Amino acid sequence: MANTISDETIEYVGILAKLELSSEEKEAAKKDMGRMLDYIDMLNQLDTSGVEPMSHVFTRNNVFREDIVTNGDDRENMLKNAPDCKEGAFKVPKTVE
């Protein structure tokens, strides 16, 4: 394990995460963080010279459609499903006093 994490680093991460760690948990966290950094070092050794950077694993571009109104002003049909309506709008119970 080439990456060693100091006690101060674990304390600082614990403060940032608002965690109260026991001494056993701190030791386990040090080992876990060291293994994560070792794995990152291993990934950094890969040859990625021919790989184009990407922001997502899928090659899709923007798939949004035009926002076109298709149902128009069909208020009467929409209000047919309402339990109660008043003056062409949904009537709901008062929630604010």
Side-chain angles (χ1 to χ4, degrees):
M1 187 162 92
N3 292 300
T4 56
I5 307 297
S6 68
D7 292 333
E8 293 83 18
T9 302
I10 292 296
E11 282 288 328
Y12 184 66
V13 170
I15 291 169
L16 290 177
K18 298 185 190 291
L19 296 174
E20 293 181 22
L21 300 173
S22 67
S23 59
E24 295 85 20
E25 291 171 326
K26 287 178 185 177
E27 287 302 315
K30 282 172 60 171
K31 290 177 185 175
D32 288 343
M33 288 177 72
R35 283 196 302 262
M36 284 186 262
L37 292 175
D38 288 340
Y39 187 72
I40 291 170
D41 286 343
M42 183 180 70
L43 291 175
N44 283 334
Q45 294 173 6
L46 294 173
D47 180 22
T48 58
S49 57
V51 179
E52 187 174 328
M54 61 181 159
S55 63
H56 203 276
V57 294
F58 299 113
T59 57
R60 290 228 162 142
N61 289 335
N62 189 352
V63 293
F64 297 125
R65 61 170 171 77
E66 286 288 325
D67 190 16
I68 300 170
V69 178
T70 57
N71 60 354
D73 189 20
D74 198 12
R75 183 179 302 204
E76 290 177 16
N77 281 331
M78 287 188 259
L79 289 175
K80 284 181 185 177
N81 293 324
D84 198 9
C85 58
K86 180 180 179 182
E87 298 176 6
F90 290 98
K91 185 175 178 183
V92 296
K94 185 177 181 180
T95 58
V96 179
E97 300 201 23

